[in-house]
């Protein structure tokens, strides 16, 4: 694992630190992203759990919305819970805007309120080579439609809960609140594959222009 | 233990955010629009409870329901200290977090609620480490400083944040043979004292509350180590609540950036007037409630 792989975590609001801890465990360097210029040189980015309405509000205040939209079109991204809502093509319950990086339709808080939050053992989908993992669902959204190019990595009761379209990953549960590094490990592998300069200096011409 | 993971998990999701006191649907919508991560439904904001006196109870069920129907963000509500039936009712209503709060009139002068009995998580106020660990020992999944609610004065929240931090730091310097006595002195469960001595932090998220009235107050709490901020009377007792709500959210997210703090401190109108804590009579100090 390349210790110099710089992985951003959107740090405007939400469960940021648990992702940083997991990234540290698998040998990547977490970079907290609050401003557009902090996207430059990142091998990928994690959009953490939190409140999606607050995140959208803050992304716009900090002029990150458009730069982030451009970033997730071309670079690896892992969106968890609120992060998955940000990445979806369409959001319902209620409808709200999103970055449209992955061809899924997602409904917010779709299992109910906090008293309906739960943990469950998740079954690997057809596109996952590995064992079941624990899923922590907190006021979680539900993926209600997936496009043709979207693979299911994990499912719960027959519904997709972690999906991938190319380098874009969206999950409705919180791997960062468990001891499992499986999801983050998979994501880092995607980041490495998509980052030809990982063994060279990270700040080369390949970094994005985000002005 | 997976239950505790779900309870503290929701608090994790609220980190870096602002939780706003609201008394009706309109205020809840303003809070959501302004980027609040949650709202706290209550009958009267602390400043009004202070002014009007009388017994302060859990909010009306209709108001809570109306607020839950109006917004998509989590809705918290306050129960009186020790009033386990108010807590049962709030759980039945489906609120997302219960604040067993010193802002309401205590229902029990000796005991707090046994919070392990509920699937809904609880937040409780604390002024010092012993109080925080007693509440966690009773099942609280989030701690907030008490500060002095409804005062518009940040000095008590600062005192409580600093006190808890200093006491935790001290624990990390003690030898194992000193912890039992420390547990006795703090009035806190030994297993939790050992946990803090090892990790240097609380085993649940630690937010700030009580007296936040400006973007600078919110950022001050965050720089002092709070992980999120509750704003009670400060917002809806100010001249321009919506503008102030926006500014407090922006300041909390960007608490380390003085340029942004300067920008969002402009044009906010008149803040809530606020009280001199030293002029309060002992029975007017809400932070003294809780055991």
């Amino acid at each position: 694992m390349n210790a110099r792989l710089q992985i951003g975590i959107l740090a405007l609001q939400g469960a940021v630190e648990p992702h940083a801890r997991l990234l540290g465990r698998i040998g990547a360097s977490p970079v907290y992203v609050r401003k557009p210029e902090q996207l430059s040189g990142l091998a990928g980015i994690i959009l953490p759990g939190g409140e999606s309405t607050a995140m959208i509000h803050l992304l716009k205040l900090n002029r990150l919305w458009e730069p982030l939209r451009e970033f997730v079109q071309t670079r690896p991204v892992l969106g968890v819970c609120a992060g998955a809502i940000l990445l979806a093509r369409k959001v319902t319950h209620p409808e709200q805007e999103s970055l449209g990086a992955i061809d899924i339709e997602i409904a917010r808080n779709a299992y109910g309120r906090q008293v309906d939050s739960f943990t469950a053992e998740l079954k690997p989908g057809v596109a996952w080579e590995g064992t079941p993992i624990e899923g922590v669902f907190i006021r979680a959204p539900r993926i209600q439609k997936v496009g043709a190019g979207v693979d299911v990595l994990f499912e719960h009761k027959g519904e997709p809960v972690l999906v991938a379209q190319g380098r874009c990953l969206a999950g409705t549960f919180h791997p960062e609140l468990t001891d499992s590094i499986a999801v983050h490990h998979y994501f880092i592998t995607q980041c490495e594959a998509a980052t030809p300069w990982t063994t060279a200096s990270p700040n080369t011409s390949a970094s994005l222009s985000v002005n | 233990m997976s239950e505790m993971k779900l309870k503290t998990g929701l608090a994790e999701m609220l980190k870096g955010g602002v939780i706003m006191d609201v008394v009706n649907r309109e205020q809840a919508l303003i809070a959501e629009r302004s980027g609040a991560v949650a709202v706290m439904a209550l009958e009267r904001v602390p400043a009004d409870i202070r002014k009007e006196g009388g017994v302060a109870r859990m909010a009306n069920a209709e108001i809570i329901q109306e607020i839950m129907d109006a917004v998509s963000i989590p809705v918290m509500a306050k129960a009186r200290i020790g009033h386990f039936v108010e807590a049962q009712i709030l759980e039945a209503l489906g609120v997302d977090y219960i604040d067993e709060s010193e802002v309401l009139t205590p229902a029990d002068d000796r005991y707090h609620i046994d919070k392990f009995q509920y699937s809904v998580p609880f937040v409780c106020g604390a002024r010092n480490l012993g109080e925080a660990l007693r509440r966690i020992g009773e099942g609280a999944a989030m701690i907030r400083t008490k500060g002095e609610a409804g005062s518009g004065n940040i000095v008590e929240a600062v005192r409580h944040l600093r006190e808890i931090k200093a006491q935790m730091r001290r624990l990390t310097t003690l030898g194992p043979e000193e912890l039992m006595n420390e547990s006795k002195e703090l009035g806190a469960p030994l297993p939790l004292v050992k946990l803090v001595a090892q990790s240097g932090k609380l085993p649940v998220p630690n937010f700030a509350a009580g007296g936040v009235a400006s973007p600078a107050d919110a950022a001050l709490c965050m720089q002092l180590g709070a992980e999120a901020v509750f704003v009670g009377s400060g917002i809806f007792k100010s001249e321009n609540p919506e503008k102030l709500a926006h500014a407090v959210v922006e300041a909390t997210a960007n608490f380390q950036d003085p340029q942004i703090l300067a920008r969002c401190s402009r044009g906010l109108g008149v803040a809530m007037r606020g009280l001199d804590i030293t002029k309060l009579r002992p029975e007017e100090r809400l932070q003294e409630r809780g055991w």
Side-chain angles (χ1 to χ4, degrees):
Chain A
M1 194 64 51
N2 190 325
R4 295 208 166 273
L5 203 61
Q6 309 261 314
I7 306 294
I9 307 173
L10 183 66
L12 294 172
Q13 190 274 310
V16 176
E17 278 172 32
H19 286 289
R21 272 201 301 275
L22 271 186
L23 288 178
R25 267 177 61 194
I26 54 180
S29 305
V31 177
Y32 287 0
V33 176
R34 295 191 176 94
K35 297 175 174 181
E37 56 269 27
Q38 292 164 333
L39 289 170
S40 126
L42 297 179
I45 191 166
I46 295 175
L47 311 185
E51 282 304 314
S52 60
T53 51
M55 284 188 199
I56 292 171
H57 183 79
L58 289 164
L59 280 167
K60 292 189 169 174
L61 279 177
N62 282 22
R63 299 189 179 85
L64 251 172
W65 182 260
E66 278 305 320
L68 183 62
R69 184 202 290 280
E70 284 173 29
F71 186 92
V72 299
Q73 302 301 329
T74 54
R75 309 291 315 159
V77 55
L78 165 64
V80 165
C81 196
I85 294 169
L86 291 181
L87 290 175
R89 177 181 54 78
K90 185 174 158 76
V91 181
T92 61
H93 192 242
E95 283 195 19
Q96 66 186 33
E97 55 191 322
S98 55
L99 299 167
I102 185 165
D103 188 9
I104 59 172
E105 210 175 296
I106 197 164
R108 293 181 58 206
N109 303 329
Y111 294 98
R113 306 194 68 94
Q114 172 64 10
V115 288
D116 306 302
S117 293
F118 63 98
T119 57
E121 189 181 89
L122 305 179
K123 210 176 127 220
V126 285
W128 184 268
E129 291 165 16
T131 53
I133 58 171
E134 184 192 7
V136 179
F137 294 81
I138 295 174
R139 283 173 50 93
R142 274 164 113 147
I143 298 169
Q144 297 191 307
K145 280 186 195 161
V146 295
V150 177
D151 295 323
V152 177
L153 302 181
F154 277 99
E155 54 186 48
H156 173 61
K157 294 187 173 168
E159 284 182 21
V161 292
L162 180 68
V163 295
Q165 185 173 18
R167 49 184 170 81
C168 182
L169 286 171
T172 58
F173 60 97
H174 293 279
E176 79 281 10
L177 298 182
T178 68
D179 287 330
S180 167
I181 57 167
V183 174
H184 287 72
H185 193 271
Y186 180 88
F187 173 61
I188 292 299
T189 312
Q190 301 284 307
C191 292
E192 281 177 329
T195 309
W197 73 87
T198 46
T199 49
S201 153
N203 284 310
T204 61
S205 57
S207 64
L208 277 185
S209 163
V210 287
N211 295 316
Chain B
M1 249 9 248
S2 74
E3 178 126 302
M4 204 56 192
K5 196 182 278 180
L6 294 173
K7 290 176 171 179
T8 55
L10 179 56
E12 287 288 334
M13 301 308 140
L14 302 177
K15 282 186 177 177
V18 180
I19 300 145
M20 298 183 194
D21 277 5
V22 298
V23 299
N24 58 39
R25 181 177 184 278
E26 287 65 41
Q27 291 186 352
L29 288 169
I30 290 174
E32 184 175 50
R33 229 178 14 246
S34 307
V37 290
V39 291
M40 175 76 73
L42 70 178
E43 207 157 34
R44 296 177 282 170
V45 293
D48 287 334
I49 293 174
R50 216 175 251 296
K51 207 160 61 190
E52 294 160 12
V55 173
R57 308 179 180 90
M58 170 187 89
N60 278 328
E62 306 94 86
I63 298 179
I64 296 170
Q65 190 64 55
E66 191 181 284
I67 290 169
M68 291 195 324
D69 292 343
V71 296
S72 64
I73 54 180
V75 175
M76 305 186 178
K78 288 184 192 288
R80 282 179 268 177
I81 288 174
H83 205 313
F84 53 88
V85 174
E86 282 188 350
Q88 291 164 6
I89 294 170
L90 292 174
E91 181 169 60
L93 284 170
V95 304
D96 298 295
Y97 240 96
I98 296 176
D99 184 359
E100 186 184 17
S101 176
E102 70 283 1
V103 169
L104 305 185
T105 312
D108 192 317
D109 63 2
R110 280 190 68 128
Y111 302 114
H112 283 250
I113 298 170
D114 175 10
K115 294 165 272 288
F116 287 113
Q117 299 305 314
Y118 299 77
S119 55
V120 61
F122 280 73
V123 51
C124 287
R127 290 166 302 173
N128 52 53
L129 184 60
E131 203 172 5
L133 295 182
R134 285 195 294 281
R135 298 295 86 81
I136 297 167
E138 294 159 354
M142 182 204 298
I143 291 298
R144 56 167 176 76
T145 57
K146 287 180 167 174
E148 188 56 41
S151 71
N153 190 336
I154 199 64
V155 66
E156 295 299 296
V158 168
R159 187 203 310 280
H160 301 159
L161 280 167
R162 285 196 182 278
E163 176 71 11
I164 292 173
K165 203 156 77 173
Q167 288 180 301
M168 291 195 296
R169 203 181 307 130
R170 202 185 95 78
L171 274 192
T172 63
T173 65
L174 298 181
E177 74 284 6
E178 296 173 274
L179 294 179
M180 178 58 90
N181 190 56
E182 197 61 21
S183 159
K184 186 184 79 179
E185 301 282 320
L186 288 170
L190 180 62
L192 292 176
V193 170
K194 284 183 174 167
L195 215 60
V196 174
Q198 268 163 25
S199 68
K201 58 193 192 65
L202 292 181
V204 304
N206 185 16
F207 292 9
V212 177
S214 69
D217 288 348
L220 177 66
C221 292
M222 296 294 288
Q223 288 198 24
L224 284 170
E227 297 175 298
V229 176
F230 285 84
V231 189
S233 318
I235 287 175
F236 290 101
K237 287 290 161 192
S238 73
E239 188 182 356
N240 190 339
E242 181 143 11
K243 205 153 186 203
L244 184 60
H246 271 85
V248 172
V249 167
E250 191 174 3
T252 304
N254 297 288
F255 67 96
Q256 286 165 317
D257 189 329
Q259 293 299 332
I260 295 180
L261 296 178
R263 196 179 68 222
C264 62
S265 296
R266 288 198 186 111
L268 297 176
V270 182
M272 120 180 228
R273 179 152 164 73
L275 299 169
D276 180 348
I277 304 289
T278 59
K279 301 273 161 39
L280 293 178
R281 292 193 305 275
E283 65 273 22
E284 292 176 319
R285 287 163 61 89
L286 302 178
Q287 60 176 284
E288 306 297 335
R289 299 164 165 180
W291 347 110

